[in-house]
Amino acid sequence: MSIIVNLDIMLAKRDMKSKELAEIIGITEANLSILKSGKAKAVRFSTLEAICKALECQPADILEYVED
């Protein structure tokens, strides 16, 4: 099982840079980069909520399940 992180796609649709999103949601650019790359082992619901609020989207717009 794989979880695909489509954060880059949502950032592009909103014409927003990673740096700007990191500032808005209050995390470091390094931590946002780890999340974007799919290397994060977990994501806090509060972080996911902040991302969705900033990008005006739903969690399913960012996270996708793909069966191996």
Side-chain angles (χ1 to χ4, degrees):
M1 121 181 127
S2 296
I3 301 293
I4 308 299
V5 180
N6 294 317
L7 192 49
D8 280 337
I9 295 169
M10 290 308 299
L11 284 168
K13 286 182 178 180
R14 301 299 188 255
D15 195 30
M16 186 181 291
K17 301 286 184 196
S18 295
K19 181 178 180 176
E20 183 181 355
L21 179 61
E23 289 175 5
I24 291 169
I25 65 175
I27 66 171
T28 65
E29 288 182 68
N31 283 340
L32 184 59
S33 178
I34 291 168
L35 180 59
K36 282 176 36 182
S37 70
K39 294 181 181 177
K41 298 290 182 193
V43 61
R44 293 179 188 262
F45 281 145
S46 59
T47 302
L48 185 58
E49 180 181 2
I51 291 170
C52 289
K53 183 176 181 181
L55 296 176
E56 297 178 351
C57 66
Q58 295 295 313
D61 296 325
I62 298 168
L63 303 174
E64 177 183 357
Y65 169 76
V66 178
E67 196 167 337
D68 291 338

